[in-house]
Amino acid sequence: MFALIVGGSGSGKSEYAENLAVSWGAKEHLPLYYVATMEPWGEEGRRRILRHQKLREGKGFETIECYRNLEELKLPSRGVVLLECLSNLAANEMFAEDGAGEGTLPAVVQGVRALRDRCCHLAAVTNDIFCDGAAYDETTEQYRRCLGEINAELSKEADQVTEVVCGILLHQKEAVNEPVVEQL
């Protein structure tokens, strides 16, 4: 099962993705892996990472940090993976000196595909950064376009696509014969 979870900042998408992953793991007695893509830059970044770590506390996740080159990531065993998040992964690939640069779109999509093939279930979190109507510089627009293409490509391949808006789950695509976790 591959679920793509989309939402704006503070929407509840991470909490929903965690609940979904935990439910899959409990149902099939599988290990839980949290693939963290946010590099700890600055105080604000470290605070966000700590906040997410506290949210996951006691849920049984083993954290694996992977900032770039997701395709090469090795998991300890097959299990449930929560990938948090595609937005950070895309930025890392696009802007880091050792990232994919102009090849960000295929690097991220192929990385997610490879990860999906190595696990039993994958919940991938991504951000909706497209509704604010603001005009940005060319570099930021290039990033936004790339993330939009990543989200569109992966939503076609996902079994389930859920948008989280103000804590409300909007199931855009549901897997056949799979129960949908409804709690936040």
Side-chain angles (χ1 to χ4, degrees):
M1 173 74 139
F2 170 32
L4 182 66
I5 297 94
V6 183
S9 178
S11 65
K13 65 187 176 296
S14 295
E15 184 179 359
Y16 172 71
E18 288 170 15
N19 290 340
L20 184 61
V22 168
S23 72
W24 287 336
K27 181 179 176 183
E28 298 180 37
H29 307 289
L30 295 168
L32 300 173
Y33 304 109
Y34 181 93
V35 177
T37 64
M38 184 176 178
E39 290 192 74
W41 296 105
E43 186 57 35
E44 173 62 23
R46 285 188 285 280
R47 275 198 306 271
R48 290 185 70 194
I49 289 169
L50 285 172
R51 181 178 157 271
H52 279 263
Q53 287 172 340
K54 286 183 182 183
L55 287 171
R56 290 193 314 275
E57 207 169 77
K59 293 183 179 179
F61 285 97
E62 177 182 334
T63 300
I64 302 169
E65 295 178 6
C66 182
Y67 308 130
R68 284 171 290 293
N69 199 13
L70 186 61
E71 194 167 5
E72 299 300 317
L73 179 68
K74 304 293 184 221
L75 296 173
S77 64
R78 286 182 61 82
V80 176
V81 173
L82 172 53
L83 175 62
E84 176 98 28
C85 77
L86 293 170
S87 311
N88 289 325
L89 183 62
N92 297 342
E93 289 287 8
M94 186 173 279
F95 300 116
E97 201 172 290
D98 60 342
E102 291 182 14
T104 294
L105 174 63
V108 172
V109 171
Q110 290 167 11
V112 171
R113 287 175 181 150
L115 184 58
R116 178 194 63 205
D117 292 345
R118 286 187 208 113
C119 66
C120 296
H121 302 288
L122 172 62
V125 176
T126 190
N127 284 295
D128 179 358
I129 60 168
F130 312 102
C131 299
D132 62 6
Y136 294 97
D137 62 82
E138 181 54 35
T139 302
T140 304
E141 284 301 327
Q142 179 184 6
Y143 167 75
R144 287 166 43 102
R145 279 191 302 275
C146 183
L147 182 60
E149 290 175 22
I150 290 166
N151 290 349
E153 184 65 30
L154 293 175
S155 69
K156 291 178 203 170
E157 298 179 21
D159 301 300
Q160 172 186 328
V161 178
T162 302
E163 183 179 8
V164 184
V165 179
C166 301
I168 299 168
L169 307 178
L170 305 171
H171 300 292
Q172 305 299 340
K173 181 179 180 182
E174 294 184 35
V176 178
N177 298 325
E178 277 290 325
V180 177
V181 174
E182 292 292 341
Q183 73 229 21
L184 273 185

